[in-house]
Structure formats: structure tokens, C-alpha cells
Amino acid sequence: MSRSKESAAAVVADASQRRAKREGQSRDMSLGAAGHQKPGQPGRVGARAGEAGQEATSDEAALARHDQTSWGADDLLGQALARENVGRAWKRVKANRGSAGVDGRTVQDTAEYLKSAWPDIRQRLLDGSYKPEPVRRVGLPKPGGGTRELGIPTVTDRLIQQALLQVLQPLIDPTFSAHSYGFRPGRSAHQAVLAAQAHVQAGFRTVVDVDLEKFFDRVNHDILMDRLAKRIADKRVLRLIRRYLQAGILKDGVCIERHEGTPQGGPLSPLLANVLLDEVDRELERRGHRFVRYADDCNVYVRSRRAGERVLQALRGCYAKLALKINESKTAVGPVWRRKFLGYCFWAAPRGEVRRAVAAQALERLRERIRQLTRRTRGRSLDQIAHDLRDYVPGWKAYFRLAQTPGVLRGLDEWLRHRLRAIQLKQWRRGPTIYRELRRLGANGEVAKRVAANSRRWWRNSAMELNRTLTIAYFDQLGVPRFS
């Protein structure tokens, strides 16, 4: 059977059969190895914008490099549509459990649809007649106000983009600057923060903090395609990428043509962004600057404000050549201590050591989220609240694990326990109930009496003698996560 005739059943059957064997099942599944996808923050980074995950990418990259030896760099589309590559792409798409696109098909619905539709889709991809569906526009609120616009492709288009990404990333990613950390295999936001800290520790205490105005909405298609053509020889892949860039946007039932931008939400978007911004990275390297870039967030570290102003003026010119505009209201040159980067900030410890801390804005967002989860009017038991906290706090703690401020984290623990004690008092409510429950938990009679006598003063009571009864061990037993 020729590659152009491969069916979706054949593409995905292998993975399903292997899964069935692992689970001890004997049923034969016709849609299989077509795979798993997820994009990111706390809160989500998040969340993440690409779908070539770091763990999976190493294997996929190695396989793609092996395929390129036999296929050739001028047949990248053939490599992308190869059976094994599409199988890995489907696993990624399926794992990501993304929402439906404009066609309304979920991942499960698309699996059934591709059983019969994939041979025709594959043939149209190969002969150049395939046209992507419009993306579904979704707005997400930004932490600092405003809305981040996402474009959700159909599951079928996410599968095709993921298959392309798995072939293109091993070819293109090694050409990027070593100072770029966003959405790249084996690189992370934590590495970017550590690199920034090293520059500050080396004495570069002034930062040029650059913010681009609606970057993903302003990407010039012609400029991006010109940069891609210097890296990709397969004209069919270039034509398909341009069609994805020009796919319309469906908003409020109306399809809008798109002449610029690469919407966040598709697997290819982060790679395309890095291709475009790599030109700025190379210019900064040529000038010998110390900098760190994560996606469209770029910080350049210099020794003086005057040097920073010169760098910023040069960056305006670099971005203008790419038809990109700096957001002047958010861009600044100033002391590194007053700026944040990827949710972190830096502070000067004794003996000249530069240390990391959670930025004030990130701490305030955390406190607001904890307030929402621990409102006394929610009508949830402490067990239920502890469960909600376990869903949120570990992820936040994992992202901010680089913070070198144990006192701040201990303070968060104390504040959280204070709120939980107030909730417990409110739920016991009446003085006799408070007295009875405190005695049951081992409080002496005098303490129980004093707390019960102020039964309506939940917040004040929860910070005093109640600490001796509702102890740290009590909350540990409930499963309340700690920040410190």
C-alpha cells in the first residue's frame, strides 16, 4: 500500500493494540497510534503554548533525525505524514485533551472521523489542495488586566501541526540562540531565571525590560515566511504553513480573514515565534550584550542606565524591521531590583549575593486565589477546602521552587492556617459547640472557655489561643499543603 493511501485505521491501530495488550484486553481497535498533546503557570505558563513536550520531544527528535537521513530534507512533508510520526503526534494531541475547534469535534469524535477521512486528508496534504479550517477565537483574562486571545484549531489541524512540529523542531531548534529559553526542548523558564540571575550577579544591575505589543497578533506573514524559507527546503511544507497562518478566525459566528499574526493555541505557534525573534537574538549577540529571552519576553542586562537607553533604541530598530512594535507603557530601563521576570524578582543579600524571590505581583495573585478557595461563605468543610488547596498549591510551589525567601513562604503558611482556623470557628458557630469541640481536640477548660466566650470573633480568635489546639500537625493531618 502506498503512503498516500495509508488509512487512519492503520496509522492509529498500533498504539491501541499495544495499549490493549498492556491492559490485558483482546479487542482490536481500529484507531490507534495517533497521540497526546498539552501547551505555559503557574496557572498556569502555564499555561504552555506548544505541544512538543520536553520529555517526549527528545525521543521524537531522535526519530525525526533518523527519518531525515532516509527521506531527505526536501521531503519534510513526507516525513511529517509518515505513519510512525503521525502516531506520535496523535498521542500528544490526545494527551492534551484540548477543546473542540470550529467543527465541534472533540478528540474522541475526531478519532472516529479520521478512521474514514484520513486517507483523503493525507492525499490532499501531499498534493497541496488541503485547506485548514478557521480557528476558534477564545479570550482569556490576563493577570494584569486585558485579554489574551487564543486561536483554537480543530483537532485534525492540531494533529497535522503537531506532526509538522515533530519533524521541523529537530531541524530548526539547534539553529536558535543559546539565550532563548521559551518553548524549546530541554529548556525551561527556571533556566531562564537562573541565567538572568547570573548576569545580575556578574554586576549587570540595570535591565532593559522589553514588552512587545500584541506580538502573536502582529506577526507579519511575509517576513516570517521569508525567515522560514531560509531554514526549510520543502516548498510543500512552506505552502502549508502559510495556509495555517492565513486560516480565518471564527468569532461570534463570523469568520474573519487574517492577514497577520499567528494565534496562540496551535502547536506550531511557539516554533514560528522563535524563528522570527531569533533575528533579534543574533543582533544582540553580535553586539556582545548579556540577555535572556523567553518567548516574547526579553531582558537585556547592562551596567548603566545610559547603556540601557542605547540598547532600547537599537531594539526599537530591530523590531521595526520585523514589523513588530514595542509596548512603550510596559517597556522600561531601570534597576533590576524593581523589575520582574517570569514571575520572579531579584534582591541583594549580604556580602553582595544576588538571590531570587517571588515577585510582588505573583504573590498578590496567589493570595487572591487562596482567598477565593478559603472564603468562609463557601459552605465547604475543612476536608473539602484542603482538597481544593492540594489541587492548586503544589503547582504554584513547583513553579516558584527557585525562590530563596524561606521567611516569605513561612509567612504564607501562617496566613493560610490563620484563615483555616477562622473557617473552623465559623462552622462550629455557637459558643457551646466551640467549647465541646475544643475539649474533644484536647484543649484545657480555661482556653476552651475563653475562645467560646468570643464565638463571633472568628478572625481574632483564630490568631490567639486556638493555635495551641488547631496546631500545624492538625492541618498536616487534614492534608493542607505547605508553602515552606
Side-chain angles (χ1 to χ4, degrees):
M1 183 182 294
S2 67
R3 290 191 181 92
S4 63
K5 300 289 187 179
E6 286 177 337
S7 66
V11 170
V12 283
D14 293 343
S16 292
Q17 288 169 2
R18 288 194 296 270
R19 185 171 61 252
K21 182 179 285 186
R22 286 197 303 269
E23 296 171 356
Q25 299 172 349
S26 60
R27 66 179 182 274
D28 181 19
M29 301 183 68
S30 57
L31 187 68
H36 288 310
Q37 114 187 57
K38 256 184 181 182
Q41 147 121 220
R44 264 153 340 174
V45 167
R48 292 159 58 183
E51 301 192 21
Q54 290 177 12
E55 288 96 8
T57 305
S58 58
D59 293 337
E60 291 163 358
L63 287 165
R65 290 193 190 98
H66 174 75
D67 289 346
Q68 288 155 16
T69 304
S70 56
W71 287 76
D74 59 345
D75 190 21
L76 297 178
L77 186 60
Q79 297 175 42
L81 298 178
R83 179 172 170 173
E84 289 187 6
N85 189 62
V86 175
R88 293 191 299 274
W90 178 256
K91 288 179 181 178
R92 177 69 62 186
V93 172
K94 188 177 178 183
N96 204 42
R97 299 193 298 271
S99 58
V102 297
D103 60 0
R105 294 191 187 98
T106 63
V107 173
Q108 186 175 358
D109 296 335
T110 302
E112 292 298 319
Y113 164 72
L114 288 178
K115 289 180 182 180
S116 58
W118 179 249
D120 178 61
I121 293 173
R122 188 180 189 280
Q123 183 57 44
R124 284 189 286 129
L125 286 165
L126 289 170
D127 64 28
S129 61
Y130 180 80
K131 292 184 178 180
E133 295 281 352
V135 298
R136 180 169 62 87
R137 176 59 61 93
V138 177
L140 296 179
K142 289 184 177 180
T147 303
R148 175 177 286 109
E149 300 287 351
L150 299 183
I152 309 299
T154 63
V155 178
T156 299
D157 283 325
R158 296 207 295 270
L159 169 63
I160 296 168
Q161 287 193 36
Q162 180 66 29
L164 285 171
L165 178 66
Q166 291 170 185
V167 170
L168 296 179
Q169 193 162 55
L171 285 175
I172 297 176
D173 188 84
T175 69
F176 291 149
S177 167
H179 304 282
S180 169
Y181 292 87
F183 309 116
R184 297 184 59 190
R187 289 175 169 254
S188 67
H190 287 158
Q191 292 174 335
V193 171
L194 292 173
Q197 182 186 17
H199 295 323
V200 179
Q201 186 67 63
F204 296 82
R205 305 292 173 88
T206 299
V207 61
V208 184
D209 187 354
V210 180
D211 183 87
L212 294 179
E213 189 174 286
K214 296 183 178 179
F215 167 69
F216 284 93
D217 293 332
R218 298 284 174 83
V219 171
N220 183 285
H221 292 173
D222 292 334
I223 295 175
L224 174 58
M225 293 308 302
D226 176 71
R227 302 317 188 258
L228 275 175
K230 296 175 182 177
R231 290 175 162 92
I232 299 174
D234 192 333
K235 302 298 183 184
R236 295 176 302 172
V237 169
L238 292 171
R239 180 173 60 233
L240 181 57
I241 291 176
R242 181 176 278 277
R243 286 183 178 174
Y244 273 117
L245 291 173
Q246 295 176 338
I249 300 172
L250 190 68
K251 185 175 182 180
D252 300 326
V254 179
C255 187
I256 305 169
E257 291 186 2
R258 187 169 71 223
H259 303 289
E260 63 177 2
T262 169
Q264 293 174 271
L268 276 176
S269 292
L271 179 66
L272 299 181
N274 279 330
V275 167
L276 190 63
L277 294 175
D278 186 63
E279 189 167 312
V280 179
D281 296 344
R282 295 306 180 184
E283 179 62 20
L284 289 171
E285 287 179 346
R286 188 184 69 80
R287 293 169 179 249
H289 291 305
R290 292 178 177 243
F291 71 99
V292 179
R293 182 174 67 80
Y294 190 92
D296 57 330
D297 291 330
C298 183
N299 278 9
V300 185
Y301 297 90
V302 295
R303 292 188 183 275
S304 69
R305 185 176 185 85
R306 179 177 294 181
E309 295 291 353
R310 289 198 301 267
V311 170
L312 180 56
Q313 188 59 35
L315 284 173
R316 288 191 181 99
C318 291
Y319 287 122
K321 291 178 182 178
L322 300 175
L324 298 172
K325 186 177 179 182
I326 287 178
N327 186 336
E328 298 293 346
S329 65
K330 295 183 178 180
T331 296
V333 177
V336 70
W337 323 113
R338 299 179 187 175
R339 307 299 297 180
K340 63 182 177 65
F341 182 54
L342 300 178
Y344 284 88
C345 63
F346 300 111
W347 60 285
R351 299 180 182 177
E353 183 183 0
V354 175
R355 294 188 180 179
R356 304 173 297 270
V358 182
Q361 298 92 325
L363 279 175
E364 184 52 40
R365 288 196 295 271
L366 168 70
R367 287 177 176 273
E368 182 57 35
R369 181 59 179 152
I370 295 298
R371 289 187 189 102
Q372 293 172 2
L373 295 175
T374 58
R375 282 202 180 105
R376 297 194 292 272
T377 56
R378 290 185 74 209
R380 295 174 68 80
S381 68
L382 281 187
D383 280 330
Q384 291 171 319
I385 293 173
H387 181 272
D388 294 340
L389 290 169
R390 287 196 297 272
D391 286 341
Y392 178 75
V393 172
W396 187 94
K397 184 178 176 181
Y399 182 79
F400 288 106
R401 66 178 182 269
L402 295 183
Q404 297 171 297
T405 50
V408 172
L409 299 180
R410 284 195 299 269
L412 286 172
D413 282 329
E414 293 168 4
W415 173 71
L416 174 57
R417 288 193 293 268
H418 189 168
R419 293 187 65 84
L420 295 177
R421 291 185 185 106
I423 290 172
Q424 185 64 88
L425 281 180
K426 184 177 186 297
Q427 291 176 351
W428 287 339
R429 203 168 189 87
R430 297 171 61 248
T433 305
I434 293 174
Y435 180 84
R436 183 181 68 247
E437 292 297 329
L438 289 178
R439 292 290 287 162
R440 183 179 63 81
L441 290 171
N444 65 54
E446 287 302 316
V447 170
K449 273 185 183 180
R450 283 195 293 269
V451 174
N454 293 292
S455 59
R456 304 297 290 178
R457 304 180 73 175
W458 305 308
W459 184 253
R460 185 163 184 260
N461 263 342
S462 63
M464 299 171 65
E465 294 176 307
L466 195 61
N467 293 15
R468 302 172 190 171
T469 306
L470 301 185
T471 61
I472 296 175
Y474 174 80
F475 291 110
D476 286 344
Q477 191 173 1
L478 279 175
V480 175
R482 294 195 196 185
F483 290 98
S484 58

